[in-house]
Amino acid sequence: MVMCGFIAVTGQLQDEKMNEILTSMKHRGPDEGDHIKLDSFHFGHRRLSIVGVDEGKQPIANKAADKYLVCNGEIYNFPVLKREMEHDTEFLTESDSEIALKLYERMDVEGVKLLDGMFAFVIADVNKGSFFAARDTLGIKPLYYGEDKEGNLVFASELKSVYFVADEAKEFPPGHYYTPETGFVQYRRIEAAKETFPADSAEKTILTGLKEKLEQAVEKRLMADVPLGVLLSGGLDSSLIAAITAKKHQGKDPLNSFCVGIKGSPDIAAARDVAKAIGTKHFEYVYTKEELIEALPEVIYHLESYDPSLVRSAIPCFFVSKIAAEKVKVVLSGEGADELFSGYAYLQELKDSDKLNKELVRIINSLHNINLQRLDRMSMAHSLEGRVPFLDLDLINYALRIPTEMKLSSDDIMEKAVLRRAFEGELPEHILWRKKAEFSEGSGAVDILEEYAEAEISDVEYQKEKKEHPVEIRSKQELLYYRIFKEYFPHDSALETVGHWATS
């Protein structure tokens, strides 16, 4: 596995420009970096090595040296695919990324449909004078693109990298591939299940299957030749991931868990309880109001967004990634459970199961530039890889088959009850049935940021500026973050890449 940052350009950059770009993304890959010029391509790469640590330096070439790959991600089914292919295919590295190149050699663009993982990659086909770019189904790993003044295309792992070369940048759509011949093609999208489990299915059978699917998803994400840990906020989602990981952890030392918050925040206390119950070696960091505010510019620079809900939740994610990176290179996180099992408060208003199901599918497909962007950018800001077991494709397909009626919540029925019931006995009861709090609420960030925005921006300023900007500004907090965002990303096209939560 290789978490990284890359840039791929049709045409060539000056070495000085390429080195400048690679330096700017060193946080994504501190272990090594390199670039290669081909006839009509220029590939650059920064590597954070996870599996095949001593091999897999990129760009990866085939034996004939007429096809080259740069890839950011992790292909979970590469051992299976490799076993199926190695009788007539020569693999030159131990990197899981190489499987994307081998599938392209064998199946052309159709090979991407066989990949199970989180990835963004570009393959240069030198003999054809063409290339193939692709991004995973949910957009767990980032990819952006643009075009320079000479008409050369650029693809990069972060928005800021594209602007070194092009004046405009766009987000590469998740679940798509691109070639110059086909343009963008959607190869996969999460859809509502064609058939849910029959109404007369025993609930126990459904719950048992759900438990097995999540455990399998976690186990799949334990592959690493480097230390691994868990982000543990003390909420249901991260606690379940931590408990399963601790149970399946093979190391001789206890699993490491990590939590942050303001002094007295609910997350700190809850995470301690979970860590004690599941036996992790627990690390926590209590940050101050001053540290939180001081971190804002750096958080927004890395996050590449100004959405208030996203920024608020990114700050504790930034701090927890920082302390985790001191001990491990990989962390498992709880993103995705709220989308699969209807965990958000506004979803309680949807009493019609069809409407709720449509909304769940919509927000699952919207994760790429919201929650997933937060985890990728905040973890990679500290050269840390984040993995998301709840967003395993097999688990998603199973969860969408669970009758939506089992996901409805109300004042009397707690959100995500189906997930909680599936894991009865696996966590302390007060954690298993702890009501959902947004990460920024549980960690104590919300009130501090609200007060800071009020102090920084007067009512007159807010009313004046919200009329001047080309986007809707919904609150003083949003204006505060927008100002910082525009300092780093003055280009208007950057605004179109920003995902928004339903509320500010």
Side-chain angles (χ1 to χ4, degrees):
M1 285 75 180
V2 52
M3 291 298 107
C4 74
F6 71 74
I7 183 163
V9 182
T10 63
Q12 295 183 353
L13 301 177
Q14 295 293 326
D15 286 353
E16 184 179 352
K17 175 67 75 175
M18 177 58 81
N19 288 329
E20 187 181 5
I21 296 169
L22 292 179
T23 299
S24 76
M25 62 171 71
K26 189 175 180 180
H27 55 277
R28 295 194 71 89
D31 293 334
E32 58 188 359
D34 204 357
H35 64 98
I36 185 170
K37 289 182 178 179
L38 307 169
D39 288 344
S40 54
F41 302 97
H42 198 171
F43 280 1
H45 186 268
R46 295 286 332 182
R47 185 183 187 219
L48 174 66
S49 48
I50 306 295
V51 169
V53 172
D54 298 324
E55 295 191 50
K57 183 179 179 181
Q58 295 193 29
I60 296 174
N62 64 346
K63 191 170 185 179
D66 60 6
K67 295 178 180 65
Y68 290 79
L69 165 86
V70 281
C71 178
N72 170 26
E74 179 177 351
I75 312 298
Y76 298 121
N77 64 337
F78 101 96
V80 174
L81 293 172
K82 187 173 181 178
R83 282 195 298 272
E84 292 173 355
M85 296 170 64
E86 59 188 355
H87 69 283
D88 62 355
T89 302
E90 184 176 1
F91 288 83
L92 305 180
T93 78
E94 292 299 318
S95 170
D96 62 307
S97 300
E98 189 181 10
I99 199 72
L101 184 62
K102 295 304 175 186
L103 286 171
Y104 176 76
E105 286 187 288
R106 178 177 291 205
M107 302 175 62
D108 202 65
V109 298
E110 292 298 307
V112 71
K113 297 177 182 178
L114 299 182
L115 297 177
D116 175 16
M118 52 180 188
F119 57 82
F121 64 77
V122 179
I123 295 173
D125 193 326
V126 177
N127 291 341
K128 286 172 63 175
S130 188
F131 66 90
F132 172 45
R135 189 179 181 195
D136 69 69
T137 305
L138 291 167
I140 301 172
K141 300 314 294 180
L143 189 59
Y144 296 88
Y145 69 100
E147 186 175 328
D148 71 10
K149 291 180 173 62
E150 285 73 47
N152 296 310
L153 291 174
V154 53
F155 298 87
S157 298
E158 291 188 352
L159 179 65
K160 59 183 74 71
S161 302
V162 175
Y163 286 125
F164 277 95
V165 181
D167 291 332
E168 293 192 5
K170 296 180 179 180
E171 184 188 10
F172 193 104
H176 283 69
Y177 67 77
Y178 177 91
T179 73
E181 296 78 24
T182 63
F184 284 102
V185 175
Q186 186 175 72
Y187 68 88
R188 190 185 293 124
R189 176 181 170 83
I190 301 302
E191 305 280 3
K194 290 184 172 61
E195 290 185 7
T196 59
F197 292 112
D200 59 354
S201 294
E203 181 178 287
K204 184 178 179 182
T205 302
I206 293 175
L207 298 182
T208 299
L210 173 55
K211 185 170 185 285
E212 289 174 354
K213 290 294 183 185
L214 182 54
E215 289 178 341
Q216 289 165 7
V218 169
E219 191 162 13
K220 190 188 293 186
R221 285 157 180 80
L222 298 183
M223 293 189 299
D225 296 334
V226 294
L228 178 146
V230 290
L231 302 185
L232 178 57
S233 71
L236 174 69
D237 310 338
S238 67
S239 297
L240 285 177
I241 297 301
I244 298 168
T245 306
K247 188 164 58 175
K248 295 182 176 293
H249 179 62
Q250 298 295 321
K252 63 180 186 300
D253 298 319
L255 178 72
N256 291 317
S257 59
F258 306 93
C259 182
V260 299
I262 293 289
K263 185 176 181 180
S265 62
D267 280 1
I268 292 279
R272 285 178 190 166
D273 285 352
V274 178
K276 185 176 181 181
I278 65 177
T280 61
K281 186 175 183 181
H282 192 57
F283 299 87
E284 62 186 44
Y285 182 74
V286 178
Y287 52 79
T288 65
K289 172 183 176 180
E290 291 73 24
E291 285 178 297
L292 191 156
I293 292 169
E294 185 182 340
L296 263 178
E298 190 175 0
V299 166
I300 290 171
Y301 168 77
H302 283 292
L303 183 62
E304 301 185 333
S305 176
Y306 62 86
D307 180 80
S309 295
L310 198 58
V311 173
R312 284 196 299 266
S313 60
I315 293 171
C317 192
F318 179 82
F319 283 118
V320 78
S321 295
K322 185 176 182 179
I323 66 165
E326 295 171 0
K327 303 291 182 183
V328 300
K329 269 192 166 184
V330 180
V331 288
L332 273 64
S333 183
E335 269 78 12
D338 290 317
E339 287 75 15
L340 289 181
F341 303 105
S342 188
Y344 295 116
Y346 83 95
L347 295 173
Q348 282 195 17
E349 300 167 12
L350 300 179
K351 304 302 183 185
D352 180 271
S353 59
D354 288 338
K355 288 180 179 178
L356 176 60
N357 199 48
K358 286 178 182 176
E359 179 63 4
L360 294 181
V361 171
R362 185 193 71 79
I363 60 178
I364 291 168
N365 284 305
S366 300
L367 283 166
H368 56 96
N369 62 359
I370 308 179
N371 306 46
L372 292 173
Q373 183 165 323
R374 173 188 63 211
L375 178 64
D376 174 83
R377 301 304 198 287
M378 295 302 97
S379 61
M380 292 306 291
H382 301 288
S383 306
L384 181 73
E385 176 194 324
R387 300 179 182 176
V388 283
F390 276 111
L391 295 177
D392 181 83
L393 292 179
D394 197 28
L395 174 59
I396 291 173
N397 289 335
Y398 186 92
L400 290 177
R401 291 186 63 203
I402 296 173
T404 314
E405 291 79 5
M406 295 179 71
K407 300 174 189 175
L408 293 170
S409 60
S410 64
D411 293 339
D412 299 321
I413 303 173
M414 189 174 284
E415 77 282 347
K416 294 184 287 194
V418 64
L419 180 61
R420 299 172 197 270
R421 291 199 300 273
F423 284 87
E424 286 280 8
E426 298 289 322
L427 288 170
E429 281 291 299
H430 70 286
I431 297 295
L432 188 66
W433 293 95
R434 181 189 178 195
K435 187 147 185 74
K436 175 179 173 54
E438 299 290 349
F439 194 8
S440 53
E441 294 171 352
S443 62
V446 172
D447 293 341
I448 292 171
L449 291 165
E450 187 63 38
E451 290 170 9
Y452 180 62
E454 281 293 333
E456 287 291 303
I457 300 172
S458 69
D459 292 345
V460 173
E461 279 181 289
Y462 175 60
Q463 293 302 328
K464 178 177 178 290
E465 287 194 46
K466 69 182 294 191
K467 296 173 184 175
E468 296 172 350
H469 296 307
V471 294
E472 181 186 5
I473 302 293
R474 299 167 290 176
S475 66
K476 287 185 180 180
Q477 259 194 74
E478 188 157 34
L479 178 56
L480 177 68
Y481 306 149
Y482 179 84
R483 287 174 174 177
I484 300 171
F485 178 83
K486 288 297 284 184
E487 288 179 20
Y488 294 120
F489 305 98
H491 307 79
D492 287 344
S493 63
L495 299 174
E496 298 174 14
T497 69
V498 175
H500 292 287
W501 287 63
T503 58
S504 63

